[in-house]
Amino acid sequence: TFSENIISSVSIGQPAKITGNGFLGTACTGQIVSLNESAKQIVRTTGTETVVEGIISVDQPAGAQLRPGYNAQAEIVTDVHENALLIPYEAIGQDEENRKYVYELQDGWAYRRYIETGIETAEGMEVLKGADEGWEVVANPSALKGRCARVISRGIGEGAQ
């Protein structure tokens, strides 16, 4: 089933990566071959959810480990951003005006740099503007105050300005 929150990003022909407890350590591949025309509501322990059912065709031979009745999860690639700059969530802060920022480490100082973000992934957020590849950033920006801080040792700063 596909949640109504993502169904607008899902279409027939999209690739899928299938994993599950019954075939640990192996991921099968496949593609979406059909999506129901109508949605339905299902009851979960957290409440009611609106979903659309679909069918994923599993490629062989990796799919040979997948058996009828197994529980499985499918990861669907809904959008590809090639050469995207990703920054881990733990390195991104947000100020009182809801602007996102990172602290760039440079010559013993951590400088606050405001960023514009794009898509979110399991690994972090895409940065569209405000940061460059190769930057070293602070993993817990909320621990620093001000526009810059002197870095004495990794993870410890003083003299916020």
Side-chain angles (χ1 to χ4, degrees), residues 98-118:
N98 293 323
R99 296 180 299 173
K100 293 182 178 84
Y101 64 87
V102 296
Y103 276 98
E104 176 193 11
L105 294 174
Q106 197 179 86
D107 299 324
W109 288 86
Y111 297 94
R112 182 183 284 193
R113 308 290 190 209
Y114 286 96
I115 59 173
E116 183 181 315
T117 59

Side-chain angles (χ1 to χ4, degrees), residues 49-120:
E49 182 181 9
T50 303
V51 298
V52 174
E53 290 184 333
I55 296 175
I56 296 174
S57 173
V58 180
D59 300 331
Q60 296 294 333
Q65 297 180 38
L66 184 61
R67 298 173 191 248
Y70 275 3
N71 289 314
Q73 299 79 41
E75 182 179 308
I76 309 298
V77 178
T78 58
D79 199 3
V80 176
H81 288 219
E82 294 193 24
N83 301 316
L85 175 62
L86 288 180
I87 293 185
Y89 291 108
E90 59 271 12
I92 299 173
Q94 194 166 342
D95 69 12
E96 53 282 341
E97 296 174 20
N98 293 323
R99 296 180 299 173
K100 293 182 178 84
Y101 64 87
V102 296
Y103 276 98
E104 176 193 11
L105 294 174
Q106 197 179 86
D107 299 324
W109 288 86
Y111 297 94
R112 182 183 284 193
R113 308 290 190 209
Y114 286 96
I115 59 173
E116 183 181 315
T117 59
I119 63 166
E120 295 185 29

Side-chain angles (χ1 to χ4, degrees), residues 17-39:
K17 177 181 167 185
I18 303 126
T19 57
N21 290 336
F23 46 104
L24 286 175
T26 303
C28 302
T29 58
Q31 68 177 352
I32 299 172
V33 293
S34 74
L35 294 168
N36 282 2
E37 292 293 322
S38 60

